[in-house]
Amino acid sequence: MKISFLLHNAYGIGGTITTTFNLAQALADRHEVEIVSVLRHREHPNFVLDPRVSLRPLVDLRQEKEHPLHLRAAQVFPAAEYRYRQYSELTDLRIGECLAQTDADVVIGTRPGLNVHLARQAPEHVVRMGQEHLTLDNHSPRLRTALRRAYRRLDVLTTVTEADAAAYRRKMRLPGVRVEALPNSVPDPVLPPADGTAKVIVAAGRLVPVKRYDLLIEAFAPVAAAHPDWQLRIYGRGEEQARLRQLIEDLGLSDHALLMGAAAPMEAEWVKGSIGASAAGFEPFGMTIVEAMRCGLPVVSTDCPYGPGEIIEDGTDGRLVPVGDRAALSAALLELVRDDERRRRMGRRARENARRFGPVPVVEQAERLIDEATTARGTGRRAAPEPGRIQRALVSQGFAARDAAYALASGALHTVRRGNR
C-alpha cells in the first residue's frame, strides 16, 4: 500500500512536522510512504527523515516566492485558516495537480486547510484521512463552518486526544466519517534513560506566549532559592526569547535558568535531566511531555486542555497543576526536587506508561483505521451511524447554527471596519 502525507512545510520546526516524520517512518516498515511538502524554504529539513520515506515539495519559496500566481490569494485553502496568508493560487494549483495525479492508496492531510483540499480534490479511489493536530474549539466559528461543509467528504478524521474526538462527534455532523483519537507517536529511545540523579529540570518547545515559559521561570525561582544546585534548562527558539532572557536576569537566575536554544533530536537532552516541565496555557497533545516520559522523566505540567490530562497520571508518573497557578507549579517542582526516591520511582513509571505512545501501538491503530476505510470505500459502505444519532444530529445542528451566526457577524464587522478606513 502507498501512503502519502500532505504537510504544510516539512522544512520547518514544529510538533506536526515531528509527529508526521515519526508516523511516516514507522509506517515505512510495511508500506511505501511519501511526504508531500506544500512549501519549501531551505535545502534540507531540520529533522532527519528516514531514507525509506520520500520527500517532495510543491512550491519552492527560494525560487517561486514572487511567482505571479503566488501573489494572488488562495481560493481553495480556507481563508479562516491560520496559515491562509502563506497559501495562494499557486499552492491551490500545485496541491490540486498533486492530488489529481497521485498514485497513493491513502492520502493523509495534516492541518485543516489541507484537509479541505483533500476532501474536495482527491480522486474517488483514494482513501481520505484528515488529521487534527489542534482542537475543534481552538478554531474560529468561521473556520468550523467551512470544515463542516468539506469534512463530510473525508473517510476518516483523527484527533490527538479522546476529548477532542468527542468534541467533533458532538459538535459536527459528519455522517459516514469515522472520527477517532490517534495520539502522536514518539520513536523508541535509543539512549539509556535518565536515572533521576541529575539536578536538572528540562523543558522544550517553541518560545511563544501560549507555552508560558515566563510562568515556568517564575515558578522555578523558589526552587533555585531553596536548592541552588538545581538548574532549569529550556530548549527551543521563538519570539519570546529576548523577553525570557530579561526575566531571567531580573529574577537573578542567570546561573540557574538557561535558554539552551533549539535541539533536534531532544532525546540526548532529556536524559540529562531528572524532571520534565510544561507550563502551557493550551496544549492540544503534549509531544514534549511524551518525549520526556519515554526518557524516564516524571513531568510536572499544567492541566490545560486537552492533552496533558490524557498523558500524565497525576501522582503516579508526573504531576498536574492548575493552569496559570505559579504557586502550585512551584510546589510540584519542589516536591520532586526534594524527594529523590519518589522522583526516581515516578520516572520509572513514566517510562512504562508512555510506551502506549510508541511507534508499534500507534501504527497498529493507524493501520486499522486505514484498512477499515479502504474496505468501506471499496465496497461503497461508509462508517455506520452510531446509536443516538438523531439526538446528536440535533445537538450538532445547534452548534452549526451558532457558528454560522458568529461567522456572519464577524464578516459583517470586518466589512464595516474596512469601510471606515
Side-chain angles (χ1 to χ4, degrees):
M1 180 180 293
K2 181 171 182 179
I3 301 170
S4 179
F5 288 86
L6 187 58
L7 187 61
H8 168 65
N9 188 342
Y11 300 83
I13 292 178
T16 300
I17 301 168
T18 302
T19 191
T20 299
F21 279 32
N22 290 345
L23 182 56
Q25 173 177 299
L27 286 167
D29 287 338
R30 290 191 291 274
H31 304 279
E32 181 184 352
V33 183
E34 72 168 357
I35 295 175
V36 176
S37 179
V38 176
L39 301 177
R40 178 185 192 173
H41 69 286
R42 63 197 306 257
E43 184 66 23
H44 301 291
N46 282 286
F47 301 116
V48 177
L49 182 62
D50 190 305
R52 298 172 301 170
V53 179
S54 62
L55 172 64
R56 62 186 175 102
L58 299 182
V59 176
D60 193 329
L61 296 175
R62 296 173 301 172
Q63 287 87 40
E64 299 182 296
K65 189 174 183 179
E66 301 301 322
H67 190 292
L69 291 181
H70 196 56
L71 301 177
R72 293 161 63 175
Q75 301 299 313
V76 179
F77 196 92
E81 226 265 36
Y82 170 69
R83 296 284 187 184
Y84 177 70
R85 292 187 181 277
Q86 294 176 261
Y87 285 74
S88 64
E89 282 195 13
L90 182 61
T91 59
D92 279 355
L93 175 65
R94 298 278 173 84
I95 296 170
E97 290 175 344
C98 171
L99 290 171
Q101 298 166 9
T102 187
D103 60 349
D105 302 289
V106 181
V107 178
I108 302 175
T110 56
R111 64 176 306 111
L114 297 180
N115 294 340
V116 169
H117 272 280
L118 177 60
R120 292 177 57 179
Q121 297 177 318
E124 281 301 314
H125 69 276
V126 171
V127 171
R128 308 163 186 184
M129 187 171 182
Q131 291 183 338
E132 174 62 84
H133 287 280
L134 291 175
T135 67
L136 178 63
D137 291 342
N138 185 247
H139 299 321
S140 68
R142 188 180 174 201
L143 179 57
R144 291 196 294 261
T145 298
L147 299 184
R148 281 187 180 91
R149 291 194 294 266
Y151 276 14
R152 295 184 177 200
R153 303 179 190 179
L154 295 174
D155 296 291
V156 181
L157 176 66
T158 66
T159 63
V160 290
T161 62
E162 293 288 351
D164 197 38
Y168 265 97
R169 296 187 197 108
R170 185 175 70 255
K171 298 179 179 181
M172 280 210 175
R173 187 165 180 269
L174 301 174
V177 181
R178 185 75 168 270
V179 180
E180 282 203 26
L182 179 69
N184 294 334
S185 71
V186 173
D188 294 324
V190 297
L191 298 175
D195 61 11
T197 61
K199 297 180 178 182
V200 177
I201 299 168
V202 183
R206 292 176 299 124
L207 305 185
V208 293
V210 73
K211 298 298 184 179
R212 292 306 311 271
Y213 288 111
D214 56 339
L215 182 72
L216 177 58
I217 291 167
E218 291 169 352
F220 175 70
V223 177
H227 301 272
D229 49 348
W230 276 75
Q231 278 189 346
L232 170 63
R233 299 178 184 173
I234 299 174
Y235 292 85
R237 61 179 182 233
E239 65 194 67
E240 289 275 277
Q241 184 168 333
R243 191 173 78 87
L244 295 175
R245 181 172 288 111
Q246 186 62 53
L247 177 62
I248 289 170
E249 292 179 8
D250 292 345
L251 294 175
L253 295 173
S254 297
D255 294 331
H256 304 284
L258 308 174
L259 300 181
M260 306 294 292
M266 265 294 296
E267 184 181 348
E269 309 310 322
W270 289 123
V271 299
K272 295 174 186 174
S274 291
I275 301 170
S278 172
F282 171 73
E283 193 67 82
F285 179 66
M287 194 75 169
T288 59
I289 294 174
V290 177
E291 289 177 354
M293 291 174 68
R294 295 220 75 196
C295 290
L297 275 65
V299 178
V300 176
S301 172
T302 46
D303 191 13
C304 58
Y306 282 76
E310 292 191 16
I311 300 172
I312 296 170
E313 185 178 347
D314 188 32
T316 299
D317 52 24
R319 290 300 319 278
L320 294 169
V321 301
V323 175
D325 192 329
R326 181 174 62 239
L329 183 59
S330 186
L333 290 171
L334 278 167
E335 176 185 308
L336 296 187
V337 165
R338 289 170 174 164
D339 193 333
D340 294 347
E341 178 51 38
R342 187 176 191 207
R343 183 174 70 248
R344 293 169 190 165
R345 182 175 66 251
M346 291 176 73
R348 291 191 293 270
R349 290 297 301 274
R351 280 188 70 209
E352 295 169 6
N353 293 348
R355 285 176 181 162
R356 68 190 189 276
F357 301 108
V360 172
V362 173
V363 165
E364 287 177 349
Q365 186 181 352
E367 288 182 322
R368 175 181 59 80
L369 290 172
I370 289 171
D371 289 344
E372 291 173 359
T374 300
T375 300
R377 182 163 282 276
T379 58
R381 297 195 308 270
R382 303 191 73 192
E386 299 175 8
R389 63 185 183 278
I390 295 176
Q391 181 180 358
R392 282 201 310 278
L394 292 174
V395 171
S396 66
Q397 286 173 5
F399 283 108
R402 187 181 68 180
D403 282 346
Y406 277 128
L408 183 63
S410 176
L413 181 61
H414 180 66
T415 300
V416 169
R417 285 175 174 170
R418 287 180 61 188
N420 290 335
R421 286 177 185 172

